[in-house]
Amino acid sequence: DTGVSQDPRHKITKRGQNVTFRCDPISEHNRLYWYRQTLGQGPEFLTYFQNEAQLEKSRLLSDRFSAERPKGSFSTLEIQRTEQGDSAMYLCASSPEAHGYTFGSGTRLTVV
Amino acid sequence: LAKTTQPISMDSYEGQEVNITCSHNNIATNDYITWYQQFPSQGPRFIIQGYKTKVTNEVASLFIPADRKSSTLSLPRVSLSDTAVYYCLVALRGQNFVFGPGTRLSVLP
């Protein structure tokens, strides 16, 4: 296991389309986080899973966003009816019970 | 809202020691202090974490005074490849991190 993997690395989509991103965490990590980052800003927290349970969601996560982590392994983040304001880097991170996060390289979304 | 304050940017020259100070006046008793480094188009990378006094690893040192209201990340003998954004975070271990804008370090030749 070489770290947190995210797929795809880049996604260009037309406004109004749905997109789905995947994150594969480090296998022994039970916590998984999604963040969003726009240019020049620090990452913003979106949501967090402990195993398969989604324990916290940010107000940033509108009803167009949904995240899942079936069986407590990989996670998906779906954005429905994308808007230009959704253009950002979407970062996934995982951690064991109580330690620093390991981030993936992110998925860069461009909505045109 | 981030619980920390750090300089927006810093410049240094290759070979110098760089110290980035972070203020966290409202740090809670059980919060840890964690520093991350981020290069463009990559996710943040964990550098160091501490609770009090001094922590050192192969890449950096973290100095935390007794009142824990600030901390200083020390990078010895920086190189051009240390040019990055550095984030200071405080949180309970395992809790969600709230990132501020970080400190943009530019290392010049």
Side-chain angles (χ1 to χ4, degrees), chain A residues 19-82:
Chain A
V19 294
T20 300
F21 312 138
R22 178 180 170 121
C23 172
D24 286 273
I26 293 173
S27 56
E28 60 267 27
H29 287 183
N30 61 354
R31 297 179 180 223
L32 186 147
Y33 307 83
W34 285 98
Y35 281 77
R36 180 175 70 187
Q37 186 173 29
T38 54
L39 202 61
Q41 303 298 314
E44 298 171 298
F45 169 77
L46 292 179
T47 190
Y48 145 60
F49 290 85
Q50 180 155 340
N51 300 311
E52 66 274 13
Q54 189 173 16
L55 297 185
E56 191 172 342
K57 293 170 61 173
S58 163
R59 288 191 303 273
L60 294 173
L61 213 65
S62 74
D63 56 7
R64 296 186 298 106
F65 288 71
S66 62
E68 294 183 342
R69 192 183 182 195
K71 303 178 183 177
S73 55
F74 71 92
S75 176
T76 58
L77 178 68
E78 180 183 17
I79 309 174
Q80 295 182 327
R81 304 180 304 280
T82 52

Side-chain angles (χ1 to χ4, degrees), chain B residues 73-90:
Chain B
L73 174 72
S74 181
L75 305 173
R77 299 178 299 282
V78 294
S79 63
L80 295 176
S81 63
D82 292 316
T83 294
V85 179
Y86 292 81
Y87 297 99
C88 167
L89 305 155
V90 296

